[in-house]
Amino acid sequence: MAYSAEPSSSLSFTSSSPLSNGSISHNVSCSGSESVPNLEVISLSKLSSSLEQLLVDPGCDFSDADIVVEGIPVGVHRCILASRSRFFRELFKREKGSSGKGGRPKYSMSDLLPYGDVGYEAFLVFLSYVYTGKLKPSPMEVSTCVHNVCAHDACRPAINFVVELMYAASVFQMPDLVSIFERRLLNFVGKALPDNVIPILVVAFHCQLNQLIAQCIERVARSDIDDISIEKGLPDEVVKKIKVLRRKPQEDCVSNLPPVDPLHEKRIRRIHKALDSDDVELVKLLLTESNITLDEANALHYAAAYCDPKVVTEVLDLGLADVNLRNSRGYTVLHIAVMRKEPSIIVLLLTKGARASELTSDGQSAVSICRRLTRPKDYHSKTEQGQEANKDRICIDVLEREMRRNPMAGDTSISSQIMPDDLHMELLNLENRVAIARLLFPAEAKLAMVVAHTEATPEFPKPSSSKGSSGNLMEVDLNETPTMQNKRLHSRLEALMKTVRLGRCYFPHCSEVLDKFIVDDLPELFFLESGSSDEQKVKRRRFMELKEEVQKAFTKDKAELSLSGLSSSSSSSSPRKFGTNQKVRKL
């Protein structure tokens, strides 16, 4: 009896249009009757599942090397990586890696990448494909934003995650993955905001994806992105191509950009270069030598986007710039600042009168822009007491509170409290309050202090903690006149008052935790070394209980109100001296 040969069958992984969760479809082409199982397909599926256990099952951790990504060691099997990737094959031949735990080789992701970044979650998705041949869905916490009406089909976190995957696929020489992610990025180009096309164009340039480069250049050239933003964000070779395309006399190419006066443009560039050098005095000189104003140069927009926060402060202090000015694209300075996500600049602009309710030409507020730039992983990251809070979270919290009210208007509660009969005592109270805030909420305290210029004023001397000493309220400087001393103390007082006011305005709910800690319990607990040994034990036990209560309240505030911060005293009418790591006695 003759048997006909069974036609060959294959298992193929092909990409379809990206799903919302980032997964791709797997097409299995099988020959013969559908009712007859294809043994090759079954075998490959079992092999894929078995290899996946090496990644997901702790009991199957037989990895022989670590790749450290964002400070987290990821166990890998060099034989599998070497068999699937020429990059890793050459790497393991060439380098043994540094000696990690148990003497196993360890490699740093930052050392492996000649360009770009690959985060922890992106590397796990890449690694899963290397082991199983299947592309996992993108984790929502790093591939979506926290805007409640965003479709997440082209927001910045979605784009950034695919960009990270593209860097991994290209650098680690997985051409099948490069093809998949190139199609995804091409899909983004038509949907994304022009600014969000910039990172796509950068990865396309580094990975030499010519089709993607061409489409991105075309999109950016026809957009209203200004030349400065293009020059700051893209390689020179790409910038030249965009400028050439923009100079072409096409009716539909950047028709909304105004004609450029070379001399006017040159003077503006000089102002920007002076800002880059942190030289505001030179900026003032350039303003006097030409007819260019700060607003015409969009100097405040430029400083908010690219300069150190102290430069923004100095430009604002000139009093020559409109804090709510719109640039040629319709963005206010605050809109530009939230794209950078630097809390100190955002708070500074708000204190100077920036309106958080202003909308862009496409109807986006500052907080909306910030939410579309923020990943859930960052927004919902847990912050332990005494650790710095996430900047993304602080930016959104501050802007949302500003949208609900104007926190700087009519808040006289602090001023009414800071009218002391004893200036020294009030200074001491404020110094200690800010010091405790820095211990409990360092990021928020630092933010308020920077905006209030607190660190630029001399700190008020603390009293002596030696036994038997009443403590000096002031250190005597024989070269300082009473007038000079009074001026110095009032300068420090005003800076501390502003720090406290900013804390109350932008981080009010956790300030209640701080008030309870300071006003109700802390002063008495500073007498830990007084009394009998049994009394001291009771006080120390109560002190530990109080620390736990503060931690619970802090965690509850973070969960319910999305705010953390520092505050002033709502405090006592009877003055108290207190401080960290020192004994305090009542006066």
Side-chain angles (χ1 to χ4, degrees):
M1 181 180 293
Y3 294 91
S4 61
E6 179 74 11
S8 61
S9 62
S10 64
L11 178 67
S12 63
F13 299 99
T14 62
S15 66
S16 64
S17 58
L19 304 178
S20 61
N21 63 0
S23 64
I24 64 172
S25 65
H26 298 147
N27 295 332
V28 180
S29 59
C30 302
S31 304
S33 173
E34 295 182 1
S35 62
V36 180
N38 189 300
L39 295 180
E40 185 179 347
V41 172
I42 293 175
S43 297
L44 288 174
S45 179
K46 287 184 176 180
L47 175 61
S48 177
S49 299
S50 298
L51 289 174
E52 187 175 19
Q53 294 304 307
L54 296 175
L55 296 175
V56 300
D57 186 354
C60 292
D61 182 12
F62 303 110
S63 58
D64 59 0
D66 289 323
I67 296 180
V68 181
V69 189
E70 296 181 342
I72 305 173
V74 179
V76 299
H77 304 76
R78 286 177 292 173
C79 59
I80 296 179
L81 265 61
S83 66
R84 294 279 281 152
S85 163
R86 186 173 63 182
F87 174 90
F88 284 111
R89 183 162 60 250
E90 296 301 323
L91 172 69
F92 298 146
K93 282 183 181 179
R94 184 177 65 253
E95 299 179 15
K96 298 301 182 183
S98 60
S99 180
K101 184 177 180 181
R104 56 196 276 158
K106 182 171 65 176
Y107 305 87
S108 173
M109 177 63 73
S110 59
D111 294 337
L112 302 181
L113 299 174
Y115 44 75
D117 295 299
V118 176
Y120 175 73
E121 291 81 5
F123 183 62
L124 291 185
V125 171
F126 168 82
L127 205 60
S128 176
Y129 181 85
V130 171
Y131 277 63
T132 69
K134 299 176 183 177
L135 192 57
K136 293 175 59 176
S138 300
M140 299 290 287
E141 66 270 16
V142 291
S143 62
T144 62
C145 68
V146 294
H147 197 286
N148 55 4
V149 297
C150 181
H152 310 305
D153 57 347
C155 59
R156 190 60 171 266
I159 291 173
N160 286 346
F161 190 73
V162 180
V163 165
E164 289 182 22
L165 289 170
M166 175 58 83
Y167 278 125
S170 176
V171 172
F172 301 146
Q173 300 178 26
M174 298 288 290
D176 46 347
L177 273 183
V178 170
S179 177
I180 292 172
F181 296 139
E182 183 177 15
R183 287 194 293 272
R184 290 195 187 181
L185 292 174
L186 282 168
N187 186 54
F188 282 138
V189 172
K191 298 178 180 179
L193 295 172
D195 300 271
N196 292 340
V197 176
I198 297 295
I200 301 177
L201 183 46
V202 172
V203 71
F205 173 80
H206 285 306
C207 300
Q208 300 180 8
L209 308 172
N210 294 331
Q211 181 184 0
L212 185 57
I213 290 174
Q215 290 206 19
C216 289
I217 287 178
E218 184 79 12
R219 177 73 198 283
V220 172
R222 297 178 185 278
S223 73
D224 61 352
I225 302 179
D226 57 90
D227 287 345
I228 293 173
S229 298
I230 292 174
E231 292 168 6
K232 289 282 187 179
L234 293 170
D236 292 340
E237 180 181 333
V238 176
V239 172
K240 292 177 182 177
K241 292 180 179 180
I242 292 173
K243 289 185 175 181
V244 168
L245 190 57
R246 282 187 162 185
R247 285 195 291 266
K248 290 183 178 180
Q250 299 176 359
E251 293 182 1
D252 60 340
C253 185
V254 209
S255 58
N256 57 336
L257 291 180
V260 176
D261 178 353
L263 180 59
H264 185 84
E265 183 71 12
K266 184 177 180 180
R267 289 171 175 171
I268 290 176
R269 296 279 182 155
R270 285 178 177 174
I271 293 175
H272 292 169
K273 287 182 179 180
L275 291 172
D276 285 333
S277 302
D278 297 351
D279 194 343
V280 178
E281 289 299 319
L282 178 57
V283 171
K284 292 166 62 176
L285 180 62
L286 293 172
L287 292 175
T288 59
E289 292 179 348
S290 67
N291 58 352
I292 303 293
T293 66
L294 282 179
D295 288 347
E296 287 175 329
N298 285 320
L300 198 49
H301 288 80
Y302 186 90
Y306 305 115
C307 299
D308 189 273
K310 71 180 182 65
V311 176
V312 180
T313 301
E314 292 175 7
V315 173
L316 283 168
D317 288 344
L318 295 177
L320 302 174
D322 180 2
V323 74
N324 289 299
L325 178 72
R326 292 179 179 270
N327 62 13
S328 60
R329 304 183 65 194
Y331 292 156
T332 67
V333 182
L334 186 60
H335 293 149
I336 298 297
V338 298
M339 294 178 187
R340 180 176 173 178
K341 294 195 290 188
E342 175 52 55
S344 60
I345 295 178
I346 292 174
V347 173
L348 177 63
L349 292 172
L350 292 174
T351 61
K352 293 294 186 177
R355 294 187 291 269
S357 58
E358 293 285 335
L359 303 180
T360 62
S361 56
D362 60 347
Q364 297 295 317
S365 66
V367 68
S368 176
I369 293 172
C370 200
R371 279 189 167 275
R372 289 184 185 273
L373 294 172
T374 302
R375 307 180 304 175
K377 176 184 177 180
D378 300 323
Y379 183 76
H380 297 295
S381 63
K382 293 182 180 180
T383 303
E384 299 295 334
Q385 181 179 334
Q387 294 182 354
E388 289 202 4
N390 184 276
K391 284 188 175 183
D392 302 65
R393 181 64 172 265
I394 293 178
C395 291
I396 292 174
D397 287 345
V398 166
L399 290 166
E400 287 185 339
R401 181 154 298 279
E402 179 70 13
M403 290 288 283
R404 289 193 290 269
R405 62 168 182 159
N406 178 4
M408 298 306 295
D411 185 5
T412 59
S413 58
I414 304 298
S415 298
S416 62
Q417 294 170 18
I418 310 299
M419 295 299 292
D421 296 330
D422 187 338
L423 174 62
H424 298 166
M425 181 58 65
E426 287 298 337
L427 273 172
L428 185 59
N429 285 341
L430 285 172
E431 291 284 6
N432 280 293
R433 180 172 296 278
V434 171
I436 293 172
R438 293 175 71 178
L439 288 174
L440 297 180
F441 320 115
E444 293 81 352
K446 181 180 179 181
L447 171 59
M449 292 178 72
V450 168
V451 175
H453 303 291
T454 310
E455 295 177 335
T457 59
E459 186 175 0
F460 186 74
K462 299 295 190 296
S464 171
S465 60
S466 60
K467 292 184 178 181
S469 172
S470 62
N472 295 322
L473 286 178
M474 284 297 300
E475 290 181 351
V476 177
D477 183 352
L478 298 179
N479 295 321
E480 188 177 47
T481 66
T483 301
M484 292 169 59
Q485 182 188 97
N486 190 59
K487 183 177 180 180
R488 173 172 60 81
L489 295 181
H490 274 88
S491 175
R492 181 67 176 175
L493 180 66
E494 290 174 3
L496 290 171
M497 288 171 57
K498 187 172 182 180
T499 300
V500 165
R501 182 167 65 249
L502 289 170
R504 180 175 293 279
C505 290
Y506 290 107
F507 314 111
H509 298 288
C510 272
S511 70
E512 296 175 6
V513 177
L514 186 62
D515 288 342
K516 174 178 172 56
F517 187 85
I518 292 175
V519 178
D520 297 337
D521 294 279
L522 189 62
E524 183 178 349
L525 291 174
F526 271 114
F527 295 96
L528 293 178
E529 297 182 9
S530 64
S532 65
S533 59
D534 290 338
E535 290 174 341
Q536 291 181 28
K537 290 180 181 178
V538 172
K539 291 178 182 180
R540 292 183 187 281
R541 184 165 58 249
R542 172 56 188 150
F543 182 74
M544 298 305 297
E545 292 173 354
L546 179 60
K547 287 177 64 177
E548 293 180 2
E549 291 176 8
V550 171
Q551 176 62 48
K552 290 178 181 178
F554 174 80
T555 303
K556 182 179 179 181
D557 268 352
K558 292 289 288 185
E560 293 182 355
L561 300 169
S562 304
L563 289 170
S564 60
L566 57 97
S567 173
S568 75
S569 170
S570 49
S571 84
S572 57
S573 55
S574 60
R576 296 182 177 94
K577 282 170 57 180
F578 56 92
T580 58
N581 298 323
Q582 65 180 41
K583 293 184 294 183
V584 180
R585 63 182 183 85
K586 293 183 180 179
L587 295 178

PDB file of all heavy atoms in Angstrom, residues 434 437-439 441-450 499 507 565-566:
ATOM      1  N   VAL A 434       9.848  73.757  59.504  1.00  0.00           N
ATOM      2  CA  VAL A 434      10.358  73.453  58.171  1.00  0.00           C
ATOM      3  C   VAL A 434      11.339  72.278  58.226  1.00  0.00           C
ATOM      4  O   VAL A 434      11.361  71.424  57.341  1.00  0.00           O
ATOM      5  CB  VAL A 434      11.021  74.701  57.550  1.00  0.00           C
ATOM      6  CG1 VAL A 434      11.739  74.349  56.262  1.00  0.00           C
ATOM      7  CG2 VAL A 434       9.976  75.780  57.290  1.00  0.00           C
ATOM      8  N   ALA A 437       9.338  69.153  58.431  1.00  0.00           N
ATOM      9  CA  ALA A 437       8.733  68.902  57.121  1.00  0.00           C
ATOM     10  C   ALA A 437       9.754  68.297  56.166  1.00  0.00           C
ATOM     11  O   ALA A 437       9.428  67.414  55.369  1.00  0.00           O
ATOM     12  CB  ALA A 437       8.173  70.203  56.546  1.00  0.00           C
ATOM     13  N   ARG A 438      10.988  68.760  56.247  1.00  0.00           N
ATOM     14  CA  ARG A 438      12.039  68.220  55.371  1.00  0.00           C
ATOM     15  C   ARG A 438      12.338  66.760  55.706  1.00  0.00           C
ATOM     16  O   ARG A 438      12.721  65.981  54.828  1.00  0.00           O
ATOM     17  CB  ARG A 438      13.306  69.060  55.499  1.00  0.00           C
ATOM     18  CG  ARG A 438      13.154  70.481  54.959  1.00  0.00           C
ATOM     19  CD  ARG A 438      14.392  71.312  55.209  1.00  0.00           C
ATOM     20  NE  ARG A 438      15.507  70.874  54.372  1.00  0.00           N
ATOM     21  CZ  ARG A 438      16.699  71.464  54.383  1.00  0.00           C
ATOM     22  NH1 ARG A 438      16.916  72.494  55.199  1.00  0.00           N
ATOM     23  NH2 ARG A 438      17.657  71.032  53.602  1.00  0.00           N
ATOM     24  N   LEU A 439      12.169  66.390  56.970  1.00  0.00           N
ATOM     25  CA  LEU A 439      12.391  65.000  57.354  1.00  0.00           C
ATOM     26  C   LEU A 439      11.249  64.102  56.880  1.00  0.00           C
ATOM     27  O   LEU A 439      11.474  62.994  56.392  1.00  0.00           O
ATOM     28  CB  LEU A 439      12.530  64.886  58.877  1.00  0.00           C
ATOM     29  CG  LEU A 439      13.820  65.425  59.493  1.00  0.00           C
ATOM     30  CD1 LEU A 439      13.727  65.355  61.016  1.00  0.00           C
ATOM     31  CD2 LEU A 439      15.014  64.619  59.014  1.00  0.00           C
ATOM     32  N   PHE A 441       8.618  64.910  54.600  1.00  0.00           N
ATOM     33  CA  PHE A 441       8.206  65.072  53.208  1.00  0.00           C
ATOM     34  C   PHE A 441       9.287  65.823  52.427  1.00  0.00           C
ATOM     35  O   PHE A 441       9.117  66.984  52.083  1.00  0.00           O
ATOM     36  CB  PHE A 441       6.880  65.834  53.128  1.00  0.00           C
ATOM     37  CG  PHE A 441       5.878  65.444  54.178  1.00  0.00           C
ATOM     38  CD1 PHE A 441       5.469  66.351  55.144  1.00  0.00           C
ATOM     39  CD2 PHE A 441       5.375  64.160  54.228  1.00  0.00           C
ATOM     40  CE1 PHE A 441       4.554  65.998  56.113  1.00  0.00           C
ATOM     41  CE2 PHE A 441       4.460  63.791  55.197  1.00  0.00           C
ATOM     42  CZ  PHE A 441       4.045  64.709  56.148  1.00  0.00           C
ATOM     43  N   PRO A 442      10.412  65.209  52.150  1.00  0.00           N
ATOM     44  CA  PRO A 442      11.566  65.935  51.606  1.00  0.00           C
ATOM     45  C   PRO A 442      11.321  66.578  50.245  1.00  0.00           C
ATOM     46  O   PRO A 442      11.756  67.691  50.011  1.00  0.00           O
ATOM     47  CB  PRO A 442      12.655  64.857  51.536  1.00  0.00           C
ATOM     48  CG  PRO A 442      11.939  63.553  51.560  1.00  0.00           C
ATOM     49  CD  PRO A 442      10.719  63.779  52.388  1.00  0.00           C
ATOM     50  N   ALA A 443      10.643  65.883  49.327  1.00  0.00           N
ATOM     51  CA  ALA A 443      10.453  66.447  47.989  1.00  0.00           C
ATOM     52  C   ALA A 443       9.571  67.683  48.034  1.00  0.00           C
ATOM     53  O   ALA A 443       9.871  68.708  47.417  1.00  0.00           O
ATOM     54  CB  ALA A 443       9.844  65.391  47.055  1.00  0.00           C
ATOM     55  N   GLU A 444       8.463  67.598  48.770  1.00  0.00           N
ATOM     56  CA  GLU A 444       7.532  68.718  48.843  1.00  0.00           C
ATOM     57  C   GLU A 444       8.136  69.900  49.598  1.00  0.00           C
ATOM     58  O   GLU A 444       7.961  71.056  49.210  1.00  0.00           O
ATOM     59  CB  GLU A 444       6.225  68.260  49.510  1.00  0.00           C
ATOM     60  CG  GLU A 444       5.430  67.259  48.694  1.00  0.00           C
ATOM     61  CD  GLU A 444       5.930  65.824  48.814  1.00  0.00           C
ATOM     62  OE1 GLU A 444       7.012  65.617  49.417  1.00  0.00           O
ATOM     63  OE2 GLU A 444       5.260  64.903  48.306  1.00  0.00           O
ATOM     64  N   ALA A 445       8.868  69.603  50.674  1.00  0.00           N
ATOM     65  CA  ALA A 445       9.511  70.674  51.436  1.00  0.00           C
ATOM     66  C   ALA A 445      10.554  71.384  50.590  1.00  0.00           C
ATOM     67  O   ALA A 445      10.639  72.613  50.582  1.00  0.00           O
ATOM     68  CB  ALA A 445      10.140  70.108  52.709  1.00  0.00           C
ATOM     69  N   LYS A 446      11.334  70.601  49.874  1.00  0.00           N
ATOM     70  CA  LYS A 446      12.374  71.191  49.031  1.00  0.00           C
ATOM     71  C   LYS A 446      11.757  72.083  47.959  1.00  0.00           C
ATOM     72  O   LYS A 446      12.256  73.182  47.669  1.00  0.00           O
ATOM     73  CB  LYS A 446      13.207  70.092  48.388  1.00  0.00           C
ATOM     74  CG  LYS A 446      14.331  70.615  47.501  1.00  0.00           C
ATOM     75  CD  LYS A 446      15.121  69.468  46.897  1.00  0.00           C
ATOM     76  CE  LYS A 446      16.229  69.982  45.990  1.00  0.00           C
ATOM     77  NZ  LYS A 446      16.994  68.864  45.376  1.00  0.00           N
ATOM     78  N   LEU A 447      10.652  71.620  47.368  1.00  0.00           N
ATOM     79  CA  LEU A 447       9.973  72.400  46.340  1.00  0.00           C
ATOM     80  C   LEU A 447       9.525  73.749  46.890  1.00  0.00           C
ATOM     81  O   LEU A 447       9.767  74.797  46.280  1.00  0.00           O
ATOM     82  CB  LEU A 447       8.769  71.603  45.818  1.00  0.00           C
ATOM     83  CG  LEU A 447       7.804  72.326  44.885  1.00  0.00           C
ATOM     84  CD1 LEU A 447       8.530  72.827  43.648  1.00  0.00           C
ATOM     85  CD2 LEU A 447       6.664  71.397  44.494  1.00  0.00           C
ATOM     86  N   ALA A 448       8.869  73.742  48.040  1.00  0.00           N
ATOM     87  CA  ALA A 448       8.405  74.995  48.634  1.00  0.00           C
ATOM     88  C   ALA A 448       9.559  75.906  49.007  1.00  0.00           C
ATOM     89  O   ALA A 448       9.493  77.125  48.833  1.00  0.00           O
ATOM     90  CB  ALA A 448       7.534  74.701  49.858  1.00  0.00           C
ATOM     91  N   MET A 449      10.644  75.344  49.511  1.00  0.00           N
ATOM     92  CA  MET A 449      11.795  76.146  49.918  1.00  0.00           C
ATOM     93  C   MET A 449      12.490  76.787  48.727  1.00  0.00           C
ATOM     94  O   MET A 449      12.937  77.933  48.799  1.00  0.00           O
ATOM     95  CB  MET A 449      12.781  75.276  50.702  1.00  0.00           C
ATOM     96  CG  MET A 449      12.253  74.822  52.059  1.00  0.00           C
ATOM     97  SD  MET A 449      13.421  73.755  52.942  1.00  0.00           S
ATOM     98  CE  MET A 449      14.670  74.964  53.393  1.00  0.00           C
ATOM     99  N   VAL A 450      12.574  76.054  47.630  1.00  0.00           N
ATOM    100  CA  VAL A 450      13.218  76.603  46.428  1.00  0.00           C
ATOM    101  C   VAL A 450      12.429  77.786  45.896  1.00  0.00           C
ATOM    102  O   VAL A 450      12.981  78.842  45.570  1.00  0.00           O
ATOM    103  CB  VAL A 450      13.366  75.518  45.348  1.00  0.00           C
ATOM    104  CG1 VAL A 450      13.753  76.131  44.014  1.00  0.00           C
ATOM    105  CG2 VAL A 450      14.420  74.498  45.767  1.00  0.00           C
ATOM    106  N   THR A 499       7.506  79.784  52.569  1.00  0.00           N
ATOM    107  CA  THR A 499       7.623  78.329  52.500  1.00  0.00           C
ATOM    108  C   THR A 499       6.405  77.667  53.121  1.00  0.00           C
ATOM    109  O   THR A 499       5.807  76.741  52.564  1.00  0.00           O
ATOM    110  CB  THR A 499       8.891  77.865  53.233  1.00  0.00           C
ATOM    111  OG1 THR A 499      10.035  78.452  52.621  1.00  0.00           O
ATOM    112  CG2 THR A 499       9.015  76.353  53.205  1.00  0.00           C
ATOM    113  N   PHE A 507      -0.106  71.564  49.458  1.00  0.00           N
ATOM    114  CA  PHE A 507      -0.109  70.256  50.089  1.00  0.00           C
ATOM    115  C   PHE A 507      -0.852  70.338  51.421  1.00  0.00           C
ATOM    116  O   PHE A 507      -0.280  70.120  52.482  1.00  0.00           O
ATOM    117  CB  PHE A 507       1.327  69.761  50.312  1.00  0.00           C
ATOM    118  CG  PHE A 507       2.212  69.944  49.121  1.00  0.00           C
ATOM    119  CD1 PHE A 507       3.254  70.863  49.135  1.00  0.00           C
ATOM    120  CD2 PHE A 507       1.999  69.211  47.970  1.00  0.00           C
ATOM    121  CE1 PHE A 507       4.064  71.033  48.034  1.00  0.00           C
ATOM    122  CE2 PHE A 507       2.802  69.375  46.861  1.00  0.00           C
ATOM    123  CZ  PHE A 507       3.837  70.289  46.886  1.00  0.00           C
ATOM    124  N   GLY A 565       2.811  66.779  51.465  1.00  0.00           N
ATOM    125  CA  GLY A 565       3.447  68.074  51.543  1.00  0.00           C
ATOM    126  C   GLY A 565       3.889  68.474  52.910  1.00  0.00           C
ATOM    127  O   GLY A 565       4.081  67.675  53.787  1.00  0.00           O
ATOM    128  N   LEU A 566       4.032  69.782  53.026  1.00  0.00           N
ATOM    129  CA  LEU A 566       4.487  70.356  54.261  1.00  0.00           C
ATOM    130  C   LEU A 566       3.512  71.446  54.645  1.00  0.00           C
ATOM    131  O   LEU A 566       2.703  71.867  53.847  1.00  0.00           O
ATOM    132  CB  LEU A 566       5.889  70.945  54.096  1.00  0.00           C
ATOM    133  CG  LEU A 566       6.008  71.994  53.003  1.00  0.00           C
ATOM    134  CD1 LEU A 566       5.908  73.376  53.607  1.00  0.00           C
ATOM    135  CD2 LEU A 566       7.306  71.838  52.274  1.00  0.00           C
TER     136      LEU A 566
END
